């Protein structure tokens, strides 16, 4: 799935004869609605694998080390996954010193011997930070698809664009941002202007 797209589900389809791993925790999937395969995480040697997400969805290098607004896909991973994933926030600093995103001469040549730091935060208490949002999402999602004869993995227009669903994604995304900002503070950086995390700020200011 493309996590930068809040409504992307990749190339997997789910049918009534194969359970939905996003909502049941059952570790199978289907590619065409007929076949059934074990999900990669069904294997014991992959139980502790991780997915590294860049929620900004693009290269963003600012001199004051502020972040761009986060894409809603990161909220879908938290709201819709069953069981709830663990989240460990990270702060990466220094790749812009190796190769700047502008890539104009001489910046398109990687610069050696630069310092890069990766700072890890504590694993997030998912029940405390996101439990209320997940409960509200489950309430929405269980009512909407059933009312339209859809499966749990299929989103109705109300689940995509409805004000309550949109508000849940926004709030979840901002809470993710808040956890990363805690790690940013560990690096001794001052707090961001709160407007930096808003889509509307970037739309207005370009």
């Amino acid at each position: 799935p493309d996590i930068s797209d809040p409504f992307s589900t990749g190339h997997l389809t789910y049918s009534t004869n194969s359970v939905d791993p996003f909502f049941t925790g059952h570790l199978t999937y289907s590619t065409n609605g007929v076949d059934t395969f074990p999900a990669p995480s069904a294997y014991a040697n992959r139980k502790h694998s991780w997915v590294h997400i860049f929620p900004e969805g693009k290269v963003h290098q600012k001199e004051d080390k502020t972040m761009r607004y986060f894409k809603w896909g990161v909220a879908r991973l938290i709201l819709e996954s069953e069981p709830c994933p663990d989240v460990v926030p990270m702060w990466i600093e220094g790749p812009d010193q190796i190769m700047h995103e502008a890539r104009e001469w001489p910046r398109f040549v990687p610069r050696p011997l630069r310092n890069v730091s990766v700072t890890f935060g504590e694993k997030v208490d998912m029940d405390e930070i996101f439990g209320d949002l997940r409960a509200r999402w489950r309430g929405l999602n269980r009512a909407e698809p059933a009312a339209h004869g859809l499966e749990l993995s299929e989103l109705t227009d109300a689940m995509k664009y409805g004000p309550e669903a949109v508000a849940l994604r926004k709030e979840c995304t901002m809470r993710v941002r808040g956890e990363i900002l805690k790690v940013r503070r560990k690096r001794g950086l001052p707090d961001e202007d709160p407007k930096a995390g808003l889509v509307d700020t970037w739309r207005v200011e370009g």
Side-chain angles (χ1 to χ4, degrees):
D2 175 8
I3 62 163
S4 67
D5 179 352
F7 309 127
S8 169
T9 55
H11 300 289
L12 304 184
T13 57
Y14 301 93
S15 68
T16 52
N17 64 348
S18 63
V19 292
D20 186 342
F22 290 102
F23 288 91
T24 65
H26 194 79
L27 301 174
T28 63
Y29 69 92
S30 174
T31 61
N32 58 15
V34 177
D35 58 10
T36 302
F37 297 95
S41 55
Y43 298 96
N45 65 341
R46 298 180 180 177
K47 287 292 186 184
H48 304 288
S49 58
W50 72 345
V51 177
H52 190 168
I53 306 298
F54 290 89
E56 292 167 289
K58 63 173 290 184
V59 174
H60 177 66
Q61 299 173 347
K62 292 278 287 183
E63 291 182 1
D64 59 1
K65 297 181 174 60
T66 55
M67 295 183 288
R68 193 173 180 269
Y69 72 90
F70 285 7
K71 301 281 186 150
W72 290 357
V74 69
R76 291 199 65 189
L77 292 173
I78 292 172
L79 294 174
E80 300 181 35
S81 296
E82 191 65 47
C84 184
D86 291 329
V87 172
V88 178
M90 301 169 59
W91 178 261
I92 302 174
E93 198 173 315
D96 56 314
Q97 300 301 313
I98 297 173
M99 180 175 282
H100 196 275
E101 63 175 331
R103 289 185 172 79
E104 299 170 350
W105 176 260
R107 290 180 171 178
F108 64 79
V109 178
R111 305 170 188 174
L113 305 177
R114 301 289 174 163
N115 292 325
V116 174
S117 68
V118 181
T119 306
F120 291 85
E122 298 295 326
K123 186 176 79 169
V124 177
D125 185 330
M126 300 303 285
D127 285 337
E128 179 182 348
I129 304 300
F130 299 104
D132 62 320
L133 300 183
R134 281 173 53 83
R136 287 164 55 196
W137 181 265
R138 283 195 300 270
L140 272 180
N141 192 65
R142 301 233 177 247
E144 279 289 337
H148 293 80
L150 302 174
E151 296 185 54
L152 289 175
S153 60
E154 299 180 86
L155 298 182
T156 63
D157 283 346
M159 292 298 293
K160 292 180 180 180
Y161 311 113
E164 189 171 356
V166 168
L168 277 171
R169 290 193 192 96
K170 285 183 176 180
E171 176 61 27
C172 186
T173 302
M174 291 304 288
R175 292 187 191 185
V176 171
R177 188 183 188 90
E179 294 303 310
I180 296 174
L181 286 174
K182 293 177 185 177
V183 186
R184 184 178 180 275
R185 291 188 194 103
K186 285 185 177 180
R187 297 292 299 167
L189 297 168
D191 285 341
E192 291 184 334
D193 182 335
K195 293 188 300 182
L198 303 177
V199 176
D200 292 339
T201 299
W202 294 83
R203 182 183 295 120
V204 171
E205 297 183 3

